[in-house]
Amino acid sequence: ASGVLIMFLKPFKIGDEVKMQGSYSFVKEIQIFHTVLKNFDNTETIIPNSIIMSGTIQNMSKPEVRRILTTIRVAFNEDLEKVETIIKDVAASMPGVVTDPRIWYSNFDPHFVQITAVFEANQNGFWTVSHASRKNLIQAFAKNNIKVAYPTGVVMGEYGVIENGHEGMK
């Protein structure tokens, strides 16, 4: 019955990007008793349709526009207006971003402020924009001397420095 329901209700189709049973995959085949998913690491998962229909199905291929949620942590002493401007400039310079980013301060930690930015991209360019937006933000922050915050206790040094006769972190 579950296979018939999947074929009738069509919560997903072959080629859709879905999240089922906690895993992100692409639908490869839909059979009467099971569905075959192709995982991001190019392995396959076969899930009985009865399990699929009794769980949550998240279909990322349905909307025409998808949101890219990016969280950035910066020190309190950074110029937050400058950070917002950089985020907006990166979004404006990127082909594939279809709306101005929404930006909000989502958390205050003792050592940093957490900023959340949401970009929107068309479905067919989602992964390209998702990757490029994060890469471009990192590069823009570095170019503008904006320091991102690391979790407490993480020490960043220079790799390759020889100290005490050993190559490693400075």
Side-chain angles (χ1 to χ4, degrees):
S2 297
V4 173
L5 282 174
I6 288 173
M7 291 177 183
F8 180 72
L9 297 175
K10 299 184 188 223
F12 52 83
K13 64 184 182 315
I14 293 173
D16 280 358
E17 180 187 347
V18 296
K19 181 180 179 184
M20 293 184 220
Q21 303 294 306
S23 297
Y24 290 92
S25 307
F26 291 93
V27 178
K28 184 177 178 184
E29 294 176 30
I30 303 169
Q31 301 296 330
I32 194 73
F33 295 111
H34 65 272
T35 296
V36 179
L37 303 174
K38 183 176 181 181
N39 303 313
F40 285 97
D41 64 358
N42 211 26
T43 59
E44 289 184 0
T45 301
I46 299 169
I47 302 178
N49 290 334
S50 59
I51 292 175
I52 291 172
M53 291 308 290
S54 66
T56 302
I57 303 167
Q58 186 176 0
N59 188 338
M60 276 71 78
S61 296
K62 283 282 187 187
E64 290 182 27
V65 174
R66 284 181 63 183
R67 292 190 178 127
I68 300 160
L69 189 77
T70 303
T71 302
I72 304 143
R73 294 175 180 93
V74 296
F76 280 107
N77 63 346
E78 291 292 347
D79 180 347
L80 298 178
E81 293 296 323
K82 185 176 179 182
V83 170
E84 284 189 41
T85 300
I86 291 168
I87 294 169
K88 290 175 184 175
D89 289 348
V90 164
S93 71
M94 290 190 54
V97 173
V98 296
T99 60
D100 290 334
R102 287 182 294 286
I103 301 168
W104 66 91
Y105 299 93
S106 49
N107 196 17
F108 295 98
D109 185 87
H111 305 284
F112 58 81
V113 61
Q114 182 172 299
I115 301 169
T116 299
V118 177
F119 300 89
E120 290 185 335
N122 288 321
Q123 180 64 256
N124 61 355
F126 172 78
W127 286 108
T128 301
V129 173
S130 179
H131 170 75
S133 65
R134 290 178 174 99
K135 180 180 175 184
N136 292 350
L137 280 171
I138 291 167
Q139 291 173 339
F141 288 152
K143 181 180 176 183
N144 288 279
N145 297 315
I146 300 291
K147 304 272 190 288
V148 294
Y150 296 98
T152 306
V154 174
V155 178
M156 301 301 288
E158 295 178 45
Y159 188 79
V161 175
I162 297 180
E163 198 170 287
N164 298 328
H166 299 285
E167 185 174 17
M169 297 293 286
K170 178 179 175 181

